[in-house]
Amino acid sequence: MTPAAPLVYLVGAGPGDPGLITRRGIECLAAADVVVYDYLAAPELLRHAPAGAERIYVGKRAGDHTLSQAEINRLLVERARAGNTVVRLKGGDPFVFGRGGEEAEALADAGIAFEVVPGVTSAVAAPAYAGIPLSHRRLTATIAFVTGHEDPDKPESGIDWAALACGIGTLVFFMGVKTLPAIASALIGHGRDPQTPAAVVHWGTTPRQRTVTGTLADIAERARQAGVRPPALVVVGEVVRLRERLNWFERRPLFGRRIVVTRAREQVSDLARRLSALGAECLETPAIRIAPPEDFGPLDEAIAALAATDWVVFTSVNGVDFFFDRLEAAGRDARALAGVKAAAIGPATAARLKSRGGIRSDLVPETFRAEAVVEAFRREPLAGRVVLLPRAAGARPVLPRELAAMGAVVREVEAYRTLPEPTDPAELIARLEERAVDLITFTSSSTVTHFLDLLPPARREALLAGVPCACIGPITAETARRAGLAVAVEAPRYTIEGLVAAILAWAA
């Protein structure tokens, strides 16, 4: 995918919360052959780039520069001249202390076409997430953004400290943690009241956010005692007083909780998104993947025999999807189920059945497990009735065994398989070693089994010692307990909503 122009997009990734990137930024990522990204760009954003796109990390941290700015400029020019669509993904906004201007100059000098995609700057977003409005009619009408780390090669400071100290209501300093004592001293020395409120916001807009408040007189010492390190912003002004009333982000019920999500890659984001919205920091570690059966023959034969089928029982969303995919592959649609009754375990499965085929479940079990389906069927005449079960390979035998005991002719077919996901466990293991995991979530027995396989057998017990887990229901919980895991949360309602609610109750 290589359009004639522009060849390079300078894209603002936003301040850390991946939801704050612009739609245009996502469109550019989707068209990228090469993504050159920063330390402050949320890793989740790389998923918007094609799987085959080259990803090059050029992050800069204090004392740790992967590439110099000159080398980054050359890299952009080289990749563009090779005919690639290049996305330079930069934290915040490219043109607000992001050195995007220097990169744009290098591209212009080389005759490379480029486009600038603005981003949400951390100067605005981090204070907002800390409950600090930068302007307020009662408090200030002026705002200034200032670098806390000027170019060391400049012969003298370009900052007019006297004007800042007495002429601007709200001051926001980028990269000012290390120089915070000097910043406070300069402002006080040029006439700013030492009792002016001040705040330092660390990792703003992310679940790692931490805010330290004080006054110009003591903020440097407070930040030092709290161990605040870059990346962080410094806010100075009367507006900081509003944080006590307006702090919304850090008061969310799961704020600061570090939760591992182990669902299949196709489904992991849904649970992670719900938990993140409640303040959790989610480490997505897919333990399983959903795959087609080795042979579609039995499922296709069962679909061909629907006219002689009395019931179809769907036990999962995946079973619905694979069933209807094969139905459509055969050139048929939901009309093939005319006269066939349908049962679905759980509201998510019932909703997917309705959306894929426009079919409402004829049987609704009281709880969302196989045993409840068996109980519900006891009210149905099953002797001699043909019941089709399109479900996962290796599923629990309770349902077909009990239905057969009631006289049904059970046709169980493999609709899909649950396989281990080849996930790199390095980050997970590092977090477990650091004791930086508060909860591990499991949504099926297979996620438990394959998650454990990600860990080195000899170290598994030590890594998981004392780490609680949350399970979607009793079957999953029993699998976890048999594996020696500490089950702290067992959802009484076996749905993602029920699991989230149970986690909230545990956290409270």
Side-chain angles (χ1 to χ4, degrees):
M1 191 182 303
T2 309
L7 291 175
V8 178
Y9 298 100
L10 301 176
V11 176
D17 181 343
L20 295 181
I21 192 172
T22 64
R23 289 179 61 183
R24 180 59 179 155
I26 291 175
E27 290 171 357
C28 294
L29 281 168
D33 299 311
V34 180
V35 181
V36 180
Y37 64 102
D38 272 352
Y39 172 59
L40 296 178
E44 294 93 328
L45 297 178
L46 298 178
R47 296 176 187 167
H48 295 293
E54 183 182 13
R55 292 158 168 80
I56 305 174
Y57 173 66
V58 295
K60 297 178 183 178
R61 289 184 281 181
D64 180 16
H65 289 198
T66 306
L67 293 179
S68 69
Q69 189 59 54
E71 291 171 322
I72 293 172
N73 295 348
R74 282 196 297 272
L75 177 66
L76 297 178
V77 171
E78 288 171 2
R79 288 299 194 274
R81 281 182 171 164
N84 295 300
T85 296
V86 181
V87 168
R88 174 68 173 104
L89 191 63
K90 303 177 69 65
D93 179 274
F95 279 10
V96 180
F97 297 118
R99 304 188 76 170
E102 297 172 44
E103 294 172 358
E105 284 184 302
L107 295 168
D109 290 344
I112 303 294
F114 64 90
E115 176 184 321
V116 179
V117 180
V120 177
T121 174
S122 58
V124 171
Y129 274 51
I132 302 171
L134 296 185
S135 66
H136 194 284
R137 287 196 301 171
R138 293 198 314 269
L139 302 175
T140 182
T142 55
I143 306 166
F145 298 159
V146 190
T147 179
H149 183 75
E150 291 188 88
D151 186 343
D153 296 328
K154 291 170 62 176
E156 59 184 29
S157 174
I159 298 175
D160 186 341
W161 288 103
L164 287 179
C166 299
I168 304 296
T170 302
L171 303 173
V172 181
F173 290 89
F174 288 73
M175 302 168 289
V177 173
K178 288 191 173 182
T179 57
L180 186 51
I183 290 170
S185 178
L187 290 173
I188 293 171
H190 286 85
R192 194 78 169 218
D193 184 348
Q195 296 308 306
T196 301
V200 180
V201 186
H202 172 69
W203 275 115
T205 79
T206 75
R208 298 162 65 184
Q209 178 175 303
R210 192 156 53 117
T211 306
V212 176
T213 59
T215 66
L216 270 182
D218 64 12
I219 189 63
E221 178 60 20
R222 284 173 177 259
R224 186 193 67 78
Q225 290 180 357
V228 176
R229 299 181 181 277
L233 281 175
V234 178
V235 186
V236 177
E238 293 299 317
V239 290
V240 174
R241 297 187 191 278
L242 296 172
R243 168 176 160 78
E244 187 174 344
R245 294 176 58 201
L246 304 184
N247 175 20
W248 60 276
F249 184 67
E250 295 168 38
R251 289 175 177 163
R252 296 183 302 169
L254 295 181
F255 183 78
R257 301 281 187 171
R258 298 157 298 185
I259 300 179
V260 176
V261 181
T262 61
R263 295 188 86 194
R265 193 173 300 280
E266 304 85 3
Q267 301 165 329
V268 67
S269 294
D270 179 41
L271 177 56
R273 185 166 50 248
R274 292 170 187 262
L275 296 174
S276 296
L278 293 166
E281 178 186 354
C282 292
L283 176 59
E284 297 184 13
T285 310
I288 61 172
R289 63 185 175 91
I290 306 302
E294 291 184 0
D295 180 9
F296 273 119
L299 179 58
D300 291 341
E301 291 172 9
I303 287 173
L306 282 174
T309 301
D310 298 292
W311 282 89
V312 180
V313 180
F314 296 100
T315 60
S316 70
V317 166
N318 295 314
V320 173
D321 284 339
F322 277 94
F323 177 88
F324 277 92
D325 286 347
R326 296 310 294 175
L327 188 67
E328 292 165 7
R332 307 174 73 186
D333 57 27
R335 288 173 293 184
L337 289 162
V340 180
K341 291 186 175 182
I345 296 183
T349 304
R352 187 62 60 89
L353 181 60
K354 182 70 167 58
S355 66
R356 286 297 303 260
I359 297 171
R360 295 183 184 277
S361 179
D362 293 291
L363 183 144
V364 180
E366 292 183 5
T367 58
F368 315 133
R369 55 188 294 193
E371 287 81 354
V373 177
V374 171
E375 288 305 311
F377 264 115
R378 294 194 190 283
R379 298 188 292 269
E380 300 288 336
L382 282 187
R385 304 295 172 90
V386 177
V387 179
L388 173 61
L389 297 178
R391 59 185 196 152
R396 295 170 63 226
V398 173
L399 190 53
R401 183 183 64 225
E402 295 300 321
L403 293 178
M406 285 185 262
V409 178
V410 180
R411 185 167 192 182
E412 183 181 10
V413 296
E414 182 181 319
Y416 64 96
R417 293 176 295 157
T418 301
L419 302 178
E421 174 69 60
T423 297
D424 182 354
E427 184 178 1
L428 169 67
I429 291 172
R431 295 281 192 99
L432 290 170
E433 287 175 335
E434 296 164 5
R435 315 312 292 173
V437 171
D438 296 307
L439 191 69
I440 303 170
T441 63
F442 296 112
T443 55
S444 65
S445 291
S446 58
T447 60
V448 176
T449 303
H450 294 309
F451 172 81
L452 293 173
D453 289 341
L454 292 173
L455 302 176
R459 301 178 58 204
R460 190 179 297 156
E461 184 176 351
L463 287 171
L464 295 174
V467 181
C469 63
C471 298
I472 201 166
I475 304 301
T476 304
E478 179 57 28
T479 302
R481 290 191 182 97
R482 284 201 307 268
L485 298 177
V487 178
V489 179
E490 183 179 320
R493 193 163 181 265
Y494 320 144
T495 64
I496 295 302
E497 292 82 359
L499 179 60
V500 171
I503 290 172
L504 281 170
W506 165 79

